Amino acid sequence: MAARTVTSTVRVLESLPALLRDDHRVTVVFAYDPTSAFAAGVLDLLREAGCRVMPWEQLGEVDPDLILSASENIDVPEGNCPVLVLPHGVGFQKLVPDSRGAHDRLSGVVPDSLLESGRAWLAVSHPSQEEQLLATHPKTAERTLLVGDPCLDELMSSGRMRSAYRAALGVRPDQSLVMLSSTWGPTSLLGTQPDLPARLLAQLPYDDYKVGAIVHPNVWSAHGAWQLRTLQATALDAGLLLMPAVHAWRPALVAADVLIGDHGSVTLYGACLDTPLLLAAFGSDAVPGTAVQALADLAPRLDPRGDLRGQIDAAVRGHSPGRYASVSARAFAEPGHALARLRTTLYRLLGLSEPGTEPPYSLAVPPAASPAARVTSWRVTTEVGGTAERPAVTVRRVPAAVAGHADAVSVRPGVVSHLACTDDERDGRIAASASTIVRRHCAPNAGEALTWIEDTLVRLPGSLLAVSAVQGQACLVGLRDSRIVEVVDAAGAGDPGVSASVVYAALLAELPLEGSVRTGGRAVVLRVRPVS
């Protein structure tokens, strides 16, 4: 197995175990090729998986029966063994810089010298890809094998676990998950709109939406995780789900309610899963006449400087099932059989009889843990409405880290804004300025909660109130005038930060401390009453 980039190495690691399961006749060695600009992270990946690794320069000293790679840009030593090249994305849809020359090349195609040797075989997922290669690279004639796409089959098998994926990412049933997908290069989503994650988090109410990002492994390799996290620091502070480069993007894509993407393969996978989507970028490096170009003709475009929430909601409302079925049919032929066909191909090239066990099938991918950092401060806007008999308070929270990207608050009667933070907020300026302080952990009893409230209001004289949830009971809100207000959520799913904001709004509006709140897309009746 030729391991050259993270992207190509992951693709093989995800497929190979199912193909060689329980077969003691085959030994796999991973030859590490460090010559790629995107090689960073490959060795860590192989070591974490427990692979046997050899330096690439030693490959000429051994006599393998097959060289397998999902990277086409490898220098294969002389010999007679076949070379099977798997796609590391969807088809041949992108032009990339050629490390061997000054021009661009078609991603996925091996050098002509390897084709001329008669050793190379290119796996494709659709017959149209064979036609495309014949037109642009005639030497690929009779060197392609229709296998399918194991990754797509895996994603399709995972649909039944969507609820589990959402729960693992911390997405409630009443929330929408907006997932960004960016390929690599200057024409990608993040290459053209690097602040889009932060602006989305600013415009989408915190209690109604979660925002995540799937970033191509080449970005992680070329820039490093530290650099990427530094460039997206504001969005990360606001709760961005930045999915790790390996494996985790698959459950995140299945979990998404809407996908904002570009001309990368993940966007095409999302369309084939029938996910509502918007294109925020589409580069000239996309190849005309391919499935991804057909997707560009069908998918609505995102105006990055327009009303982001309105466009996202419109994309979901306007999506009709099967909208991208023609695109999927153009990219993938006979989905559901890729692993079985790939195993047959692998053993034929090895010169071994295929195992007598049942053909391999695609399993659902395991859930991925949420990578989001905890949000510790918010700009909260409250609006008092309803009637005198049944007043209502609407609460809208935006993480303080992205408040500068949010729309200006409309000034009208009953609408006020304030700063809220948790008791473990690291920025002392925010803690000193926050009107409401929210206890991160639930108090074991009311007495402990009251002690914490008193100590907090003494420690932070700039705050108006402090709130603590009590184990198995209501939230207790302590006011600076020493009153204690009990907030009971009739639905049993209250957020102490929302409860504190309701009390804050009611105090400013001189309302009786009782009413209802709407947040997270649901209406909750609260019973708010003074207690001794």
Side-chain angles (χ1 to χ4, degrees), residues 217-496:
N218 282 1
V219 179
W220 294 83
S221 292
H223 300 286
W226 181 91
Q227 178 71 28
L228 181 57
R229 294 184 181 279
T230 299
L231 293 174
Q232 292 296 328
T234 295
L236 290 169
D237 287 345
L240 178 68
L241 294 159
L242 181 59
M243 304 312 299
V246 179
H247 307 310
W249 70 270
R250 299 171 296 164
L253 181 61
V254 175
D257 291 290
V258 61
L259 179 66
I260 300 176
D262 53 20
H263 53 292
S265 292
V266 173
T267 307
L268 187 53
Y269 282 130
C272 295
L273 294 178
D274 208 21
T275 305
L277 64 86
L278 290 161
L279 289 179
F282 198 86
S284 58
D285 46 341
V287 178
T290 58
V292 76
Q293 186 65 58
L295 176 63
D297 296 335
L298 286 176
R301 300 297 179 109
L302 178 78
D303 177 5
R305 299 297 167 180
D307 176 7
L308 298 180
R309 182 183 183 183
Q311 294 178 79
I312 288 170
D313 292 346
V316 174
R317 289 194 307 269
H319 180 75
S320 56
R323 176 170 185 167
Y324 303 112
S326 61
V327 175
S328 181
R330 190 168 178 172
F332 307 104
E334 303 178 33
H337 305 284
L339 283 179
R341 289 179 172 176
L342 187 54
R343 188 178 77 165
T344 298
T345 297
L346 192 73
Y347 277 92
R348 180 168 63 82
L349 294 177
L350 281 170
L352 290 175
S353 59
E354 194 171 351
T357 56
E358 63 176 318
Y361 56 93
S362 297
L363 302 177
V365 300
S370 173
R374 289 189 295 106
V375 178
T376 55
S377 57
W378 300 264
R379 189 190 75 180
V380 185
T381 302
T382 59
E383 182 172 6
V384 177
T387 64
E389 294 75 21
R390 293 184 61 83
V393 179
T394 300
V395 177
R396 185 181 188 273
R397 296 193 290 178
V398 171
V402 294
H405 293 281
D407 296 332
V409 177
S410 175
V411 179
R412 58 183 184 274
V415 178
V416 294
S417 292
H418 69 274
L419 186 63
C421 74
T422 59
D423 57 345
D424 57 353
E425 168 59 51
R426 295 171 58 198
D427 191 329
R429 298 166 299 177
I430 291 179
S433 304
S435 299
T436 61
I437 308 298
V438 182
R439 185 176 186 176
R440 170 65 66 180
H441 300 292
C442 190
N445 55 65
E448 204 276 343
L450 293 172
T451 299
W452 174 86
I453 288 171
E454 181 179 3
D455 292 345
T456 299
L457 293 176
V458 170
R459 180 171 53 87
L460 297 170
S463 60
L464 178 65
L465 54 86
V467 59
S468 174
V470 181
Q471 186 74 35
Q473 302 178 42
C475 290
L476 295 181
V477 181
L479 310 185
R480 185 150 294 284
D481 61 10
S482 298
R483 284 183 292 168
I484 300 296
V485 178
E486 185 182 29
V487 181
V488 180
D489 182 354
D495 184 308

Side-chain angles (χ1 to χ4, degrees), residues 131-187:
E131 298 171 5
Q132 175 196 1
L133 292 177
L134 282 174
T136 58
H137 293 72
K139 293 181 180 180
T140 61
E142 300 182 356
R143 309 311 303 172
T144 58
L145 299 168
L146 180 60
V147 171
D149 190 302
C151 186
L152 176 73
D153 292 354
E154 195 174 50
L155 291 169
M156 294 178 65
S157 297
S158 301
R160 59 184 174 81
M161 291 187 60
R162 185 170 184 269
S163 296
Y165 300 153
R166 292 170 64 84
L169 293 174
V171 182
R172 298 194 314 267
D174 60 331
Q175 288 180 312
S176 294
L177 175 60
V178 179
M179 192 61 61
L180 298 171
S181 170
S182 179
T183 187
W184 60 282
T187 65

